[in-house]
Amino acid sequence: MKEYIIEGGLPLDGQVDVCAAKNSVLPLMAASILTDEIIVLHDCPDISDVDNMIKILEGLGSKIIKNGRDIVIDNSGVNNAQIPVSLAKELRSSIFLLGSLLSRLKQAKVAYPGGCDIGLRPIDIHIAGLRELGIDIQEQGGYIVCNSQNARCADVVLDLPSVGATENLMMSAVFVKGRTVIRNCAKEPEIYDLQRFLNAMGAKVKGAGSSVIVVEGTDRLHGTEYTPIPDRIVAGTYLISAAMCGGNVELVNVNPEHISSLISKLSKTTCKIYIKNDRILIKSRGRQKSLDCIETMYYPGFPTDLQSQIMAMQSVSKGTSVIVENIFETRFKTAGELKKLGADITIKGRVAIVRGVRELVGGEVLATDLRGGASLVLAGLVAKGQTIVKDIHHIDRGYEDMAKVLSSLGANIRRIE
């Protein structure tokens, strides 16, 4: 079993280079299927989710070369429209391939996707939107079986601003003749990144970042080289780690606007934050002051993907904090693991009441999901004594060699395979 062993209590000092966002790279890899010409993606993180997407694409007929952080994709041989259970269960983002396969091959058979156990992430919003485009969809034995021979442009209104559904509809509509309008869209930066990528390939998409996206159908797309946006969740995680541990940490290659909700929260503590272009410097001294209320919301609100990490921070802050989780109903699972280290947290439905304690005490905890696992590492960094974080394969899904990054900042953390 893979695990981290952490000796807590050390300040963090140094620099972190933030690579491209996992939540952009994966849909861009899926969108690469829309052309049979070469696609090159730069600065991609070396994480297991990217590796699993490579396996899925290769199973569809792609040829992929991974050269450091660059990924070269040749989809000229794509001829398989089925993603098996064995691969889909490892990667939630396999669902993004539904739209691109329907555009490229006019059919798709995709197993229900897996990923982190953080609550229901229904794909009925995807299915309803695709049906609005005239796509025939059947659900058979754990698979979603689709045919887009009769696809047509439409005016689609999403029930919720789902990131995945927005991206799937964008990819499904690129070759559909006419003008497709998608309303109540997600506004996350990753949506805008997908629009820029598609347009770099020759698509005609506009409106990303607003609640309405318009796709004008085109005949074909061509290859391109592209650098995705930096990972705002990774950046936010390391900002929170610096706030908790104390010290001076500078993030390089980050878009401050993408994490403005977190920066606003941290600015209300005792941290000092300095921003210049694509760099953020955080200086932290002493115990933080609790934040009164943190409520997760769709972008540009506070991201659910940073909720577990901010909970770890509040567990050692001075005072009481209330955290409201509006996106995923079981994302408070990590609270039970934090309590093993001495945190004082009470859960009532979608509300967590966190009473800050002066110190956590090291112990053995279990990562049950990606972001929750990261929060346990952060807790271990400030806990007295030794903390062992088990099942870190969850963390590997979204953080490139977290132990190496934190060690470079002065943390005492090592990985055991």
Side-chain angles (χ1 to χ4, degrees):
M1 181 182 291
K2 299 176 182 178
E3 60 189 33
Y4 285 140
I5 298 178
I6 307 165
E7 297 289 342
L10 298 175
L12 302 180
D13 284 280
Q15 180 177 294
V16 177
D17 292 310
V18 180
C19 56
K22 170 182 93 83
N23 291 336
S24 263
V25 172
L26 297 177
L28 299 192
M29 292 176 72
S32 72
I33 285 180
L34 296 169
T35 180
D36 58 7
E37 296 182 13
I38 300 295
I39 294 291
V40 181
L41 296 176
H42 297 294
D43 203 28
C44 299
D46 185 13
I47 55 176
S48 60
D49 267 12
V50 169
D51 290 338
N52 282 326
M53 181 61 89
I54 288 173
K55 291 177 184 176
I56 290 173
L57 290 175
E58 288 176 336
L60 299 176
S62 302
K63 294 180 180 178
I64 299 176
I65 298 173
K66 192 176 177 184
N67 183 16
R69 285 185 170 177
D70 291 344
I71 297 176
V72 181
I73 307 173
D74 177 358
N75 288 316
S76 59
V78 169
N79 57 11
N80 177 19
Q82 179 172 331
I83 302 174
V85 175
S86 59
L87 292 175
K89 72 178 183 180
E90 296 295 332
L91 185 63
R92 174 70 190 176
S93 298
S94 59
I95 195 65
F96 296 135
L97 285 155
L98 195 56
S100 54
L101 283 172
L102 286 169
S103 285
R104 170 76 180 261
L105 300 179
K106 306 302 181 187
Q107 60 181 327
K109 184 176 181 181
V110 180
Y112 280 94
C116 285
D117 182 15
I118 54 175
L120 293 173
R121 294 191 276 187
I123 61 170
D124 54 349
I125 299 173
H126 299 242
I127 292 172
L130 292 172
R131 282 178 171 154
E132 287 291 312
L133 296 180
I135 295 169
D136 179 69
I137 301 176
Q138 306 293 326
E139 298 177 60
Q140 302 174 358
Y143 280 88
I144 306 162
V145 182
C146 310
N147 186 296
S148 62
Q149 294 290 342
N150 297 317
R152 60 179 182 271
C153 62
D155 195 315
V156 182
V157 181
L158 299 177
D159 289 339
L160 290 171
S162 160
V163 173
T166 301
E167 293 175 330
N168 247 332
L169 286 169
M170 290 167 69
M171 289 185 268
S172 298
V174 291
F175 296 144
V176 176
K177 290 183 179 180
R179 184 172 182 263
T180 295
V181 180
I182 311 166
R183 303 184 189 275
N184 196 27
C185 297
K187 301 175 183 178
E188 274 73 3
E190 293 79 11
I191 302 290
Y192 182 70
D193 210 30
L194 176 60
Q195 173 181 281
R196 288 182 65 233
F197 178 68
L198 290 173
N199 289 345
M201 296 167 68
K204 299 175 182 177
V205 185
K206 62 182 179 180
S210 74
S211 60
V212 180
I213 293 175
V214 178
V215 183
E216 298 282 353
T218 190
D219 293 331
R220 67 181 297 275
L221 299 183
H222 54 73
T224 190
E225 289 194 33
Y226 191 81
T227 302
I229 58 173
D231 199 311
R232 60 195 173 103
I233 304 303
V234 167
T237 299
Y238 290 124
L239 278 179
I240 294 170
S241 70
M244 292 174 67
C245 295
N248 304 323
V249 173
E250 183 178 39
L251 301 182
V252 179
N253 185 37
V254 60
N255 189 325
E257 183 180 345
H258 293 170
I259 51 173
S260 59
S261 59
L262 173 63
I263 292 171
S264 175
K265 294 293 185 187
L266 293 177
S267 297
K268 293 179 174 64
T269 68
T270 57
C271 296
K272 301 295 183 183
I273 298 176
Y274 306 89
I275 299 172
K276 185 176 182 180
N277 300 325
D278 67 343
R279 292 172 177 256
I280 301 176
L281 173 64
I282 180 169
K283 296 185 176 183
S284 174
R285 297 287 183 274
R287 190 179 177 199
Q288 299 301 322
K289 178 176 64 175
S290 280
L291 300 166
D292 293 336
C293 184
I294 301 152
E295 191 164 355
T296 64
M297 298 291 290
Y298 296 107
Y299 188 85
F302 192 88
T304 183
D305 279 355
L306 288 175
Q307 181 259 98
S308 297
Q309 299 91 311
I310 208 77
M311 178 184 283
M313 176 176 151
Q314 295 312 288
S315 71
V316 290
S317 295
K318 189 184 300 183
T320 299
S321 182
V322 175
I323 301 175
V324 183
E325 174 55 60
N326 291 308
I327 311 299
F328 294 126
E329 71 279 2
T330 63
R331 198 150 213 173
F332 286 146
K333 282 186 174 182
T334 304
E337 298 300 305
L338 289 171
K339 289 168 75 171
K340 292 179 182 178
L341 304 179
D344 184 353
I345 304 171
T346 302
I347 305 295
K348 294 184 177 180
R350 288 179 178 255
V351 177
I353 301 168
V354 187
R355 303 171 187 87
V357 298
R358 185 161 292 278
E359 70 176 11
L360 299 176
V361 179
E364 187 174 298
V365 290
L366 187 69
T368 59
D369 64 82
L370 168 55
R371 308 306 176 184
S375 76
L376 295 176
V377 172
L378 269 52
L381 293 175
V382 297
K384 182 179 180 180
Q386 185 182 89
T387 298
I388 300 174
V389 182
K390 293 184 173 292
D391 273 10
I392 61 172
H393 65 274
H394 290 292
I395 301 172
D396 293 339
R397 290 187 47 236
Y399 294 89
E400 182 178 295
D401 205 342
M402 197 176 204
K404 182 179 179 180
V405 173
L406 290 170
S407 293
S408 74
L409 299 177
N412 187 341
I413 176 173
R414 56 195 173 96
R415 180 187 181 100
I416 304 297
E417 294 291 343

